[in-house]
Amino acid sequence: LEDCRCWVIFRKPKNPDICLCSLDQTVCCRIFIVQKYFVFSLAWIHGDPRKVVYPTDSYGQFCGQHGTPNANKAILFYFNILHCANPAVLINLQCPTTLLCVSKCPDRFATYLDMQYQYRYNKSYWEYYRQFCKPGFDNPRKSIAQVLQDEDCPSMIVPSRPFLQRCFPEFITRNGTLTVANRTDFKDGLGKTRSVTDLREAANGIVGLLDAKEVGIKIFEDYASSWYWILLGLVITMLVSLAFILLLRFTAGVLLWLVIFGVIAAVGYGIWHCYWEFSILKEKPDADITISNIGFQTDFRVYLQLSQTWFIFMISLAVTEVIIIVVLIFLRRRVRIAIALLKEGSKAIGYIMSTLFYPIITFLLLAICIAYWAVTAVFLASSGDAVYKVMSTDPKCQYSNITCDPETNVTKVCPGAQCTFAFYGGESIYHRYIFILQLCNLLVFLWLVNFTIALGQCTLAGAFASYYWALQKPADIPACPLFSSFGRAVRYHTGSLAFGALILSIVQFFRIILEYLDHKLKGAHNAFARFLLCCLKCCFWCLEHFIRFMNRNAYIMIAIYGKNFCTSAREAFFLLMRNVVRVAVLDKVTDFLLFLGKLLISGSMGVLAFFVFTHKIPVIQEEVPSLNYYWLPLLTVIFGSYLVAHGFFNVYAMCVDTLFLCFLVDLERNDGSAARPYFMSSTLRGILNKRNVRKREDKRGYRVRKKK
């Protein structure tokens, strides 16, 4: 203790090596770094994000990529969109038709037959039509049968517009009728007249996507015109959250006792009301029927007409009232300790205000973690070479969906089929294990996120521990406690934090796998498998919450003593078990007050935002912009206010937890003597009837003891 408690007193340690990470956690830290860079290096070497950014034609070439022949052709065109079953097939680039990069989508109806007829009189028809044919094809007199067999040109083109960098028919609904360029039918170039509904079946859902795009534009306009009002609401939330935390030193006890006595009064009123209903119904002749006589009824109001129902309610509420009063009598001192710690936490934050802004650093680090995971996932997903497969609309084609060489002519063995680009992949060992690498990337992502959160918890715990272990507050609080704590956490405790984050990440990883299996087994009829999976999900949920709780307290002990993770977790666990009742009371009291604060702040800001965006406040009525959907900025303010309050209150909760563990250690390690004085506040000493003894010399030179 004496070797490592230096990190609390902020003096040079007698043996700095004891305060460093243990060997196993140093190895854990190295594995953490190696695995992160190993997965990213593989993804960087083999991946190509252009495969995700740019659409790809039938030859595996990117549309719109600079420095290629398709640099000015950024849109993907489908020769025959009628061959496509749905938009998912289109977006996945597996529609059984030729895909071509074009600079713009068609703006008119036309067929290859009509083009050949008009070409005799006007060459411009071919010049327009040829831009939707294969590059290099310049023979407008070629027979239509041969052109369609070789897939040189599309048999028809329809007015389209780009969406998701792909040409889709320009659907317009007029008077309830679906049209394309004011037409309800068109020629397919094969001698048939087709309805626009055929196009809709081929591009099912595109109309809804386009409508969603228009709604999205309106939503963007609303946010563009109201962003400063939303920002103002979040700033107000930040100030109110700060004021709420600072005022808890005066209001924590009042709020808690008001709620406790309010609950007692509410239960007492319920007992009186049940007795009143029971006494009235008891005088009625038909009300003495028992519940067992009438059996099960779907209408609950039937039971309310029985005196026995109200008698059961009255007895239940009376038992609840007695339990609450008895528990309150026996736990009154522990409730007072919890209130004193809440007030002390408010004082600590008042002295170390910089801790309230540390969540911004955590948010930035989490954003970096998410960006790392997303970039790595994209690189892994884009790994591989172009794979070509036989695409055919004829179900009898035995070569359909078989890998092929784009240089071969598959129409000879399967008429109407095409060897087109399907996806990116390969048959090497690396490509076989891309899914495994994606899982590794997910595990590293969870590890990074939990490590970032652990770093924040350890940093805050070190800052607040420096407040508690200052004998004379605030004179003995060291300068820049938050920055000093962050430096110690990064320099000395990285391995311990990574080790604790790894344990939690593994549990979360298994929970994700179980959720995936549950999603896959939803249609299964094996009741035992469903039951087993449900039990595993429940067990891992409990395990995750337990490990999260233990990690939080272990990080506090690491910040206090500087010991490794396993030792700190063990000491924190036994320390909490020796004070389990105090832990339960403080945890519930803190959770209740913070929940009340979040609800109060987000609800108040929601009401204020409602009056602002609905122009109910005359003073600023003209300055508030008119919105298409006022409820979207309103929900943004409510959700954002809750997140801001949650960030502030998380700091406060960490402060209370740290002070609580320091308080328990203080009680066990110190006895109030001059050599080992109590570091707790005078309020806590008064509740526990503890005193500090201070030595001083009288006028004759003798040392006497003085109670403090």
Side-chain angles (χ1 to χ4, degrees):
L1 176 65
E2 194 64 31
D3 286 327
C4 284
R5 70 191 300 260
C6 54
W7 302 125
V8 176
I9 310 302
F10 301 103
R11 293 194 299 267
K12 185 177 180 180
K14 297 179 181 179
N15 188 359
D17 295 334
I18 299 179
C19 297
L20 303 182
C21 306
S22 60
L23 179 60
D24 57 334
Q25 290 162 29
T26 304
V27 173
C28 176
C29 183
R30 292 174 180 173
I31 294 175
F32 171 69
I33 297 174
V34 169
Q35 183 180 5
K36 180 178 70 172
Y37 287 107
F38 173 74
V39 176
F40 184 77
S41 299
L42 284 178
W44 181 269
I45 293 172
H46 296 278
D48 188 354
R50 296 176 303 173
K51 301 171 185 176
V52 179
V53 176
Y54 301 107
T56 311
D57 62 11
S58 296
Y59 309 100
Q61 298 176 346
F62 302 122
C63 297
Q65 182 187 358
H66 297 288
T68 65
N70 293 330
N72 298 323
K73 301 177 180 180
I75 308 171
L76 194 66
F77 172 72
Y78 299 87
F79 265 36
N80 193 341
I81 198 172
L82 295 174
H83 290 170
C84 306
N86 53 59
V89 174
L90 300 181
I91 296 173
N92 289 331
L93 303 177
Q94 294 186 20
C95 182
T97 187
T98 300
L99 310 177
L100 188 69
C101 296
V102 296
S103 58
K104 63 179 181 178
C105 296
D107 58 5
R108 68 193 72 170
F109 281 106
T111 65
Y112 189 82
L113 286 174
D114 293 339
M115 183 279 302
Q116 282 189 324
Y117 178 77
Q118 297 292 340
Y119 176 73
R120 303 172 185 174
Y121 310 101
N122 191 342
K123 306 293 184 182
S124 61
Y125 282 93
W126 167 243
E127 295 299 326
Y128 178 80
Y129 203 91
R130 68 181 297 182
Q131 61 183 328
F132 305 107
C133 298
K134 287 183 178 179
F137 179 73
D138 192 13
N139 186 10
R141 294 184 175 87
K142 188 175 181 179
S143 65
I144 179 65
Q146 193 65 32
V147 167
L148 297 182
Q149 181 178 356
D150 297 339
E151 290 279 342
D152 292 324
C153 289
S155 63
M156 61 160 185
I157 56 175
V158 297
S160 307
R161 58 177 170 178
F163 184 73
L164 300 176
Q165 291 184 277
R166 291 158 176 84
C167 291
F168 290 117
E170 190 173 4
F171 294 112
I172 299 176
T173 303
R174 296 186 183 276
N175 299 324
T177 303
L178 186 67
T179 64
V180 174
N182 298 324
R183 292 175 57 175
T184 58
D185 54 26
F186 62 96
K187 296 179 180 179
D188 64 355
L190 301 175
K192 295 181 181 179
T193 300
R194 307 290 290 267
S195 173
V196 171
T197 55
D198 295 335
L199 288 175
R200 183 172 184 174
E201 291 176 359
N204 185 27
I206 297 301
V207 178
L209 291 174
L210 296 177
D211 292 340
K213 183 180 179 180
E214 295 179 0
V215 174
I217 293 174
K218 293 182 179 180
I219 293 174
F220 178 79
E221 292 175 352
D222 288 344
Y223 280 118
S225 58
S226 62
W227 66 269
Y228 46 91
W229 291 99
I230 297 175
L231 183 62
L232 179 62
L234 298 181
V235 171
I236 295 175
T237 301
M238 183 179 66
L239 298 177
V240 172
S241 301
L242 176 61
F244 185 87
I245 292 175
L246 296 180
L247 290 176
L248 276 178
R249 71 179 72 178
F250 309 109
T251 60
V254 176
L255 286 175
L256 183 61
W257 289 116
L258 279 177
V259 171
I260 291 175
F261 288 117
V263 171
I264 294 175
V267 175
Y269 171 78
I271 295 173
W272 175 84
H273 182 77
C274 292
Y275 175 77
W276 181 70
E277 291 284 354
F278 171 74
S279 60
I280 292 177
L281 291 175
K282 191 176 182 181
E283 299 176 357
K284 295 182 179 181
D286 298 334
D288 57 349
I289 302 175
T290 62
I291 297 176
S292 60
N293 290 335
I294 64 173
F296 176 75
Q297 299 291 329
T298 56
D299 189 359
F300 185 74
R301 291 174 296 180
V302 175
Y303 298 104
L304 298 180
Q305 305 301 322
L306 304 178
S307 59
Q308 188 184 38
T309 302
W310 293 102
F311 181 76
I312 294 173
F313 286 165
M314 181 179 66
I315 296 300
S316 302
L317 290 176
V319 172
T320 303
E321 185 87 333
V322 172
I323 292 175
I324 292 175
I325 293 175
V326 171
V327 169
L328 188 61
I329 291 173
F330 284 98
L331 297 181
R332 64 188 185 279
R333 174 178 288 187
R334 291 177 174 83
V335 173
R336 292 175 61 196
I337 292 175
I339 294 174
L341 285 171
L342 290 172
K343 294 180 178 180
E344 198 67 21
S346 178
K347 291 181 183 179
I349 289 180
Y351 288 122
I352 314 177
M353 294 284 291
S354 57
T355 55
L356 289 174
F357 301 98
Y358 186 83
I360 299 176
I361 299 177
T362 302
F363 174 78
L364 295 177
L365 292 176
L366 289 176
I368 294 174
C369 295
I370 295 173
Y372 160 80
W373 168 77
V375 170
T376 306
V378 168
F379 270 87
L380 286 174
S382 59
S383 300
D385 302 321
V387 175
Y388 300 86
K389 290 193 174 184
V390 177
M391 299 291 180
S392 175
T393 57
D394 186 4
K396 297 181 180 180
C397 179
Q398 59 180 342
Y399 300 99
S400 181
N401 207 33
I402 294 179
T403 305
C404 60
D405 186 352
E407 301 296 332
T408 60
N409 189 359
V410 297
T411 56
K412 295 181 180 180
V413 294
C414 192
Q418 290 289 323
C419 182
T420 60
F421 167 79
F423 54 87
Y424 288 99
E427 300 298 332
S428 65
I429 297 179
Y430 170 78
H431 295 109
R432 293 175 187 174
Y433 290 96
I434 283 182
F435 180 73
I436 303 299
L437 291 175
Q438 287 284 17
L439 292 179
C440 293
N441 184 39
L442 175 61
L443 179 61
V444 172
F445 169 70
L446 295 174
W447 200 353
L448 284 172
V449 169
N450 289 315
F451 175 79
T452 301
I453 296 174
L455 178 62
Q457 291 175 345
C458 188
T459 299
L460 292 174
F464 292 126
S466 67
Y467 165 83
Y468 185 91
W469 296 110
L471 189 59
Q472 301 294 330
K473 303 176 180 63
D476 292 342
I477 300 177
C480 304
L482 182 66
F483 179 78
S484 301
S485 178
F486 180 79
R488 290 194 306 276
V490 172
R491 184 178 179 184
Y492 297 111
H493 307 316
T494 305
S496 297
L497 301 180
F499 186 68
L502 175 62
I503 298 174
L504 182 59
S505 301
I506 292 175
V507 176
Q508 292 175 337
F509 182 73
F510 279 108
R511 283 198 65 198
I512 293 174
I513 293 177
L514 289 175
E515 291 292 340
Y516 174 77
L517 293 177
D518 183 51
H519 176 73
K520 290 296 184 181
L521 293 176
K522 279 186 177 179
H525 301 287
N526 192 332
F528 177 75
R530 298 279 297 172
F531 172 76
L532 180 62
L533 190 61
C534 183
C535 292
L536 288 174
K537 288 172 60 178
C538 180
C539 292
F540 273 92
W541 181 88
C542 296
L543 181 61
E544 179 187 354
H545 282 71
F546 174 75
I547 292 177
R548 195 187 298 273
F549 173 77
M550 287 307 306
N551 280 7
R552 182 183 180 92
N553 291 281
Y555 298 148
I556 296 174
M557 298 299 286
I558 289 173
I560 296 174
Y561 293 120
K563 298 181 181 179
N564 61 63
F565 176 81
C566 296
T567 304
S568 300
R570 183 180 66 251
E571 292 181 355
F573 177 76
F574 288 115
L575 180 64
L576 295 175
M577 288 299 101
R578 291 193 295 269
N579 301 271
V580 64
V581 179
R582 287 174 175 170
V583 173
V585 173
L586 179 69
D587 187 57
K588 297 306 175 185
V589 169
T590 305
D591 288 345
F592 170 75
L593 286 181
L594 296 186
F595 172 75
L596 186 66
K598 294 176 188 177
L599 190 65
L600 179 65
I601 292 173
S602 59
S604 301
M605 292 307 303
V607 172
L608 178 61
F610 173 78
F611 284 113
V612 170
F613 292 130
T614 55
H615 303 85
K616 297 292 180 64
I617 302 179
V619 180
I620 58 175
Q621 186 174 2
E622 297 181 356
E623 299 179 6
V624 178
S626 298
L627 304 174
N628 298 303
Y629 310 105
Y630 74 88
W631 50 270
L632 277 174
L634 174 62
L635 292 178
T636 304
V637 170
I638 295 175
F639 184 69
S641 300
Y642 181 83
L643 290 181
V644 171
H646 182 71
F648 275 82
F649 291 163
N650 267 355
V651 174
Y652 181 71
M654 195 67 198
C655 175
V656 173
D657 290 345
T658 303
L659 296 182
F660 179 59
L661 258 68
C662 292
F663 166 73
L664 297 180
V665 173
D666 195 10
L667 280 178
E668 294 188 355
R669 299 292 185 182
N670 301 317
D671 55 7
S673 62
R676 293 190 298 174
Y678 290 117
F679 287 83
M680 68 185 73
S681 64
S682 58
T683 304
L684 287 170
R685 291 201 303 268
I687 295 174
L688 298 172
N689 294 323
K690 302 290 184 180
R691 296 290 185 273
N692 273 343
V693 177
R694 186 176 63 185
K695 293 182 179 180
R696 66 180 181 86
E697 292 186 358
D698 63 1
K699 295 181 180 180
R700 294 172 296 176
Y702 293 100
R703 304 185 70 85
V704 297
R705 291 186 176 184
K706 180 180 177 182
K707 292 285 187 177
K708 182 181 177 182

